[in-house]
Amino acid sequence: MAAQSKPLERPRGLFDVLQLPLIGRVLRWRWGRLVLQIPLAIIALLLVIDGFTGPQTASRNLATVTPWIHYRGLVVIALLLAGNLFCMGCPFTIPRTLAKRFSLPGRRFPRFLRNKWLAIGGLFTLFLLYEWLDLWASPLLTAWVIVFYFVASFVLEVVFTESAFCKYVCPLGTFNFIYSTASPTQIAVKNHNICQTCVGKECVNGSYSPTPVIRLDQIAGGAPIEVHYGPDGTPGCGTLLFAPQIKSNLDCTMCLDCVRACPYQNVGLMVRTPGHELIQPDAWPKRWDVSFLVIILAFMGLSNAFGMVPPVYEVERWLAETFNIGSELIVLFIIFAVANLLLPVGITLLAASLARIFTNTTRKFSLRDSVAAFAPAFVPIGLGIWIAHYGFHFLTGALTIIPVFQEFLGMAGDWQRFGAITTDMNIIGLVQGGALFGGLLWSLVIAQRTSLRLYRRDGMLGLIPWALVLIGLALVAVWIFGLPMEMRGSTLFN
Amino acid sequence: MLKYGFLLFLILITAAGCRQQTATPSTDLNIMLAVEPDPLIVGDATLVITVNDASGAAVNDAKIAVRGDMNHAGMMPVFAEIDSGTDGKYRVPFEWTMAGDWIVEVTVTLANGEQVVKSFDAEVNTSQNMPEMTTENGSQTMPEMTTEAES
């Protein structure tokens, strides 16, 4: 009974974005998501067309310039300043409504896959393929990746009732989920009492149904606003989040289906303190898969950037010669397995173990709980690393999209004018330094608060191993971004 | 909804055909690219472009335009031009602005206005990271990628 009377989680929101005059109205509109999705879908189709039919020089093709320069640059900025806007406008989910029509009834994603291990595997595979196939240099392969995304999203929507692709598979969505936890917005309800008496729970169940629905509470008293039930209704949360229990942006695509489905207009997109959930002890599940996903993604930020600097070729050459390996894929797999799996897992377990030993809490906290408690601290430093990397490409090449698009339209690309405009390297250095230093500082604050919460008087002792890991990550990042960058496919194996 | 989708499809198909198409070369040119210094390192360089016609005779009155792109999108291209050559050789001042894989596109505009475009791969290194490379007469001959012609 005590658990029932406990108030549900609600962030201290300053205001509801959906109450803003124009933006709120558009977003709440039944087709509001399409307003974002259609432009992005058109862009995606243009990329596919140019990738298949245009010149195969990466710098002159929309299929490579747009995703590898602009998407990546803008997504990290949006995550930091606004929220998970790119999942909100994701064009890959447009066929969702169509897929719903064909959806096999009642089949859920296999239970053993309902975790983040598949997402970790997806990210690992994507980054491995990115390096091995030089996706950044191939418009054709990038176009195939986009097509694969559309097909995979549609097929999984057809086969399973929930949005399995978004929640368990999509590497882009996984990236956005993780770093939207640092964002200043979150879905939340306005009045928990309404949720407790709500009969339909439309925010998660939806008002969509192949056949008309009669709602019991409407018979009793009528609904406060008009909600369509039946085939014209709104689907509920695709990732099966229940709005009044949302404590985190993890798994939230910000599709706002919950907002539209709620018959009481009780769900909002609240502004909150950026990263509010990262210092909330119960915001995230204490699971190995979630914790390692966050930590591994920060390490992936390093390995992805490491792939652009000269030492990586020395490492590749050394591995190939030492172990007599003739396959680039195997060499890259070894590098990525070490950098993206063994190192983060090993270092994390070591840090957690040392913290427990230093604070004499080995019996009080399990290793899993210790890792889970400190995992949120890896979000800011990870985001800082990704901003430093993607921000570099965006700031150096943002305007090249203009001559590329001119050429796509059959005009002469004005490369002399737009191709030569780039942000001053000193400013880029400041942005990179600011992202890394700011991320580290933010991470250390989270780790310190976590340590004090867990270990009380021994908080500083418990902090030491984790702080060393975070500082180490930042130092390696500074080293990598301080090296001269090289853009090459691995010629070692050609 | 369906008609809007069809309209969008038509627009996209039209857009796909917008790019300037290249014609089959009517003039048979032999274009070769060599680079000094060798091996290729970041910094100033000279591209030595040799243009011969089908009979092997040197072509000296062509205009040469060079465009260097890194194989990663978003990087600033490098442009260079020259109006005349000697013994079919055109020496074009150039700068490798960054280490990595480059695509050098050479556009030869003949006196009659016909253009022949040929692309070459180039691997540029920092001075500390120079692999062994095949050399030829003090310069490196670059591998050919594609040839296109525009008229």
Side-chain angles (χ1 to χ4, degrees):
Chain A
M1 290 301 288
Q4 284 182 345
S5 61
K6 186 181 175 183
L8 296 168
E9 175 68 17
R10 182 186 179 189
R12 285 174 293 176
L14 297 176
F15 65 89
D16 179 7
V17 175
L18 302 180
Q19 296 304 314
L20 290 174
L22 181 63
I23 297 174
R25 191 166 180 175
V26 170
L27 290 177
R28 286 198 314 271
W29 182 40
R30 175 176 166 78
W31 305 109
R33 196 181 186 194
L34 277 178
V35 173
L36 285 172
Q37 286 180 310
I38 286 177
L40 290 178
I42 291 173
I43 291 171
L45 288 173
L46 292 179
L47 305 192
V48 170
I49 288 171
D50 209 25
F52 284 132
T53 64
Q56 291 304 303
T57 303
S59 58
R60 304 180 75 169
N61 194 301
L62 289 174
T64 30
V65 173
T66 310
W68 303 129
I69 302 300
H70 295 83
Y71 168 78
R72 299 195 307 182
L74 292 172
V75 79
V76 289
I77 295 170
L79 286 167
L80 182 67
L81 300 181
N84 194 354
L85 299 184
F86 279 88
C87 280
M88 178 191 273
C90 177
F92 305 126
T93 57
I94 284 185
R96 184 183 177 196
T97 307
L98 184 62
K100 278 282 173 198
R101 307 266 174 194
F102 302 111
S103 183
L104 303 176
R107 178 175 295 189
R108 288 206 57 197
F109 203 55
R111 180 176 292 276
F112 74 98
L113 292 176
R114 284 182 228 159
N115 49 53
K116 295 298 181 185
W117 296 120
L118 202 57
I120 292 173
L123 280 166
F124 182 89
T125 305
L126 181 65
F127 287 123
L128 181 63
L129 292 178
Y130 178 82
E131 290 296 335
W132 180 49
L133 300 176
D134 300 336
L135 290 180
W136 38 271
S138 172
L140 181 66
L141 291 179
T142 305
W144 274 116
V145 170
I146 296 169
V147 170
F148 172 80
Y149 263 87
F150 273 110
V151 173
S153 172
F154 181 79
V155 168
L156 288 181
E157 284 285 347
V158 168
V159 174
F160 302 108
T161 53
E162 74 266 55
S163 294
F165 181 75
C166 300
K167 188 168 185 175
Y168 302 114
V169 180
C170 178
L172 301 181
T174 302
F175 182 96
N176 295 343
F177 287 160
I178 297 303
Y179 293 116
S180 66
T181 60
S183 298
T185 53
Q186 182 193 313
I187 291 291
V189 298
K190 301 166 190 172
N191 185 339
H192 290 279
N193 293 330
I194 291 176
C195 300
Q196 286 171 340
T197 57
C198 175
V199 174
K201 313 292 187 208
E202 283 83 358
C203 59
V204 65
N205 294 325
S207 57
Y208 170 84
S209 170
T211 55
V213 174
I214 299 173
R215 279 187 47 198
L216 296 176
D217 57 336
Q218 281 186 336
I219 295 172
I225 64 163
E226 183 183 356
V227 172
H228 295 283
Y229 293 91
D232 293 332
T234 306
C237 178
T239 54
L240 302 183
L241 301 177
F242 182 40
Q245 291 183 328
I246 290 177
K247 301 174 182 176
S248 162
N249 281 337
L250 283 176
D251 295 346
C252 178
T253 61
M254 275 177 63
C255 64
L256 303 185
D257 279 343
C258 55
V259 173
R260 297 181 198 100
C262 176
Y264 308 100
Q265 290 189 314
N266 193 37
V267 184
L269 180 60
M270 304 298 185
V271 172
R272 64 176 190 178
T273 307
H276 174 77
E277 67 192 74
L278 301 177
I279 51 174
Q280 301 303 308
D282 299 322
W284 290 13
K286 293 180 173 57
R287 290 180 1 211
W288 283 117
D289 56 330
V290 174
S291 302
F292 278 134
L293 172 60
V294 175
I295 295 165
I296 282 172
L297 196 52
F299 278 75
M300 283 178 170
L302 288 181
S303 67
N304 192 236
F306 186 65
M308 302 194 322
V309 292
V312 74
Y313 308 112
E314 295 302 318
V315 174
E316 286 185 19
R317 189 173 290 120
W318 177 80
L319 276 171
E321 290 173 359
T322 305
F323 300 103
N324 195 24
I325 303 171
S327 162
E328 183 186 6
L329 176 61
I330 294 175
V331 167
L332 286 173
F333 182 84
I334 293 170
I335 292 173
F336 276 57
V338 171
N340 293 342
L341 299 177
L342 292 180
L343 267 180
V345 170
I347 289 175
T348 299
L349 294 179
L350 180 65
S353 301
L354 288 176
R356 291 162 74 225
I357 292 169
F358 290 167
T359 56
N360 199 23
T361 55
T362 47
R363 292 187 178 179
K364 187 175 180 183
F365 300 114
S366 69
L367 197 60
R368 186 194 66 179
D369 288 356
S370 299
V371 172
F374 284 92
F378 286 79
V379 169
I381 185 63
L383 183 57
I385 292 169
W386 288 110
I387 288 175
H389 182 181
Y390 291 170
F392 172 86
H393 291 300
F394 184 68
L395 292 173
T396 52
L399 291 183
T400 59
I401 190 70
I402 297 173
V404 171
F405 195 64
Q406 287 173 325
E407 290 183 353
F408 178 77
L409 294 176
M411 303 157 62
D414 193 352
W415 287 96
Q416 298 283 6
R417 184 175 173 191
F418 296 108
I421 297 176
T422 182
T423 310
D424 186 272
M425 290 306 291
N426 292 322
I427 295 176
I428 293 174
L430 279 176
V431 170
Q432 290 183 305
L436 293 176
F437 183 71
L440 173 63
L441 208 59
W442 193 355
S443 287
L444 287 175
V445 168
I446 294 169
Q448 184 205 30
R449 291 184 67 155
T450 304
S451 191
L452 290 174
R453 188 183 76 237
L454 289 183
Y455 307 128
R456 308 284 178 178
R457 284 183 300 178
D458 292 331
M460 293 312 290
L461 280 175
L463 175 65
I464 289 172
W466 292 104
L468 288 175
V469 175
L470 295 169
I471 292 169
L473 271 172
L475 288 177
V476 173
V478 168
W479 172 68
I480 290 173
F481 290 116
L483 289 169
M485 190 180 63
E486 292 190 15
M487 301 283 197
R488 68 175 79 241
S490 177
T491 52
L492 180 65
F493 299 91
N494 290 341
Chain B
M1 198 69 176
L2 196 62
K3 64 182 177 185
Y4 291 121
F6 184 67
L7 184 63
L8 177 64
F9 179 73
L10 282 180
I11 292 170
L12 292 173
I13 292 296
T14 307
C18 282
R19 274 197 183 274
Q20 291 175 348
Q21 301 299 311
T22 54
T24 308
S26 59
T27 304
D28 190 9
L29 287 182
N30 182 22
I31 303 171
M32 288 172 57
L33 171 66
V35 183
E36 298 170 358
D38 169 46
L40 280 56
I41 56 172
V42 174
D44 291 334
T46 301
L47 307 184
V48 183
I49 298 161
T50 307
V51 184
N52 295 314
D53 63 17
S55 66
V59 177
N60 293 318
D61 57 351
K63 290 182 179 177
I64 307 285
V66 178
R67 175 195 168 114
D69 281 294
M70 300 216 62
N71 69 346
H72 193 294
M75 306 310 289
M76 189 166 57
V78 178
F79 297 95
E81 285 182 348
I82 196 163
D83 285 345
S84 62
T86 306
D87 297 332
K89 291 188 185 298
Y90 299 76
R91 297 180 64 83
V92 185
F94 198 76
E95 182 187 5
W96 306 113
T97 53
M98 191 180 290
D101 292 343
W102 286 72
I103 299 157
V104 179
E105 185 183 88
V106 177
T107 303
V108 178
T109 305
L110 298 174
N112 63 7
E114 186 173 357
Q115 287 187 331
V116 178
V117 183
K118 187 174 267 188
S119 296
F120 301 85
D121 281 336
E123 186 190 344
V124 180
N125 293 279
T126 55
S127 53
Q128 299 87 14
N129 181 28
M130 292 188 297
E132 293 178 12
M133 303 180 93
T134 307
T135 60
E136 183 180 313
N137 301 327
S139 63
Q140 186 185 344
T141 304
M142 309 312 298
E144 177 186 330
M145 281 181 67
T146 55
T147 306
E148 299 168 345
E150 297 170 354
S151 53

